[in-house]
Amino acid sequence: MNELLPLLISALVLGLLGGGHCLGMCGGLMGALTMAIPAEQRGKRLRLLVAYNLGRVLSYAFAGLLIGLAGWAVANSPAAMALRILAALLLISMGLYLAGWWAGLTRVEAIGRGLWRHIQPFASRLMPVKSVPRALLLGALWGWLPCGLVYSTLLWAASQGDALDSALLMLAFGIGTWPVLLATGLAAERLTAVLRKRGVRMLGGVTVILFGLWTLPGPHQQWLMGHGHVGGASLQQAPSHVHQ
């Protein structure tokens, strides 16, 4: 658990501070969902929005579990060290994205556009949302919307080499996205404004970059093992679950 905790924190930070991209990609969907709730159902708006986001987060965790199985296979092969390096580089890249210093991650969105073309018609048929189960299902479908940040986080989670850990990391990432997207659906502009502040995003980005550097194999790890502390505990090894 000591090794997994920094990774879970990274996943939460990625979800929470990835809000700028989430608003650009998904904020419109949240607004459309809210507007599509029938007038007689408006009193249940919060329940429907929670169900919608729960379905989305569970789809992230399921995707993490599936791709984590592939990561497990690679982690138990001679390519294990390469997988660990990939994990570190992805984490550093996502930190640069959060801080607003590099937006290259958005290019990977093209990977899922073909799949989304097949899913979108089913999602459209669920509108307007009239019940909690319908909102849950719509959210589960929405979780497969092409998103560079989600895809990059998914690859990073898979690179840990453990399917269950990959699912937990994607669950933590999904939970991290809740405040921004729920606030958007409930028109809570103050919270979204705070999370989009440049200083907040830069702090989160630097935190994630440091976790990436900590994960990256190299001579610095010997120094970290002897001197570094995270949360008061000595760093006995890098926070990667790639089995060597």
Side-chain angles (χ1 to χ4, degrees), residues 101-118:
W101 296 328
W102 183 66
L105 294 182
T106 56
R107 295 172 191 164
V108 304
E109 289 169 9
I111 296 172
R113 284 176 188 156
L115 175 62
W116 180 244
R117 277 197 296 269
H118 295 289

Side-chain angles (χ1 to χ4, degrees), residues 28-235:
L29 288 172
M30 287 298 294
L33 172 69
T34 304
M35 294 299 294
I37 296 173
E40 65 274 13
Q41 300 287 324
R42 291 295 168 89
K44 297 198 305 185
R45 182 171 64 166
L46 179 59
R47 269 184 286 170
L48 293 174
L49 290 174
V50 168
Y52 192 59
N53 281 283
L54 178 61
R56 177 179 57 85
V57 170
L58 290 177
S59 73
Y60 290 166
F62 180 65
L65 183 67
L66 289 181
I67 199 169
L69 293 172
W72 175 84
V74 175
N76 288 277
S77 75
M81 181 58 71
L83 192 65
R84 180 166 159 184
I85 294 171
L86 174 64
L89 294 178
L90 281 169
L91 210 50
I92 293 168
S93 298
M94 289 186 285
L96 291 171
Y97 168 79
L98 287 185
W101 296 328
W102 183 66
L105 294 182
T106 56
R107 295 172 191 164
V108 304
E109 289 169 9
I111 296 172
R113 284 176 188 156
L115 175 62
W116 180 244
R117 277 197 296 269
H118 295 289
I119 295 175
Q120 188 175 21
F122 295 100
S124 299
R125 288 174 200 162
L126 294 170
M127 303 281 278
V129 176
K130 298 179 180 178
S131 66
V132 167
R134 196 163 183 157
L136 189 67
L137 180 57
L138 182 59
L141 293 175
W142 175 31
W144 299 94
L145 181 76
C147 174
L149 184 61
V150 172
Y151 288 173
S152 300
T153 307
L154 193 58
L155 289 172
W156 165 65
S159 68
Q160 304 309 312
D162 185 291
L164 182 57
D165 286 353
S166 297
L168 288 173
L169 290 175
M170 289 307 296
L171 184 64
F173 169 79
I175 290 171
T177 64
W178 272 50
V180 168
L181 293 175
L182 276 178
T184 302
L186 297 172
E189 291 87 357
R190 183 174 297 181
L191 175 61
T192 58
V194 169
L195 293 175
R196 297 183 75 177
K197 282 184 179 292
R198 180 164 177 77
V200 174
R201 289 175 60 81
M202 287 179 64
L203 178 61
V206 169
T207 301
V208 172
I209 290 170
L210 289 175
F211 279 137
L213 293 172
W214 179 24
T215 305
L216 193 65
H220 65 287
Q221 295 233 328
Q222 302 239 334
W223 182 85
L224 285 170
M225 280 192 247
H227 301 88
H229 287 77
V230 171
S234 294
L235 304 181

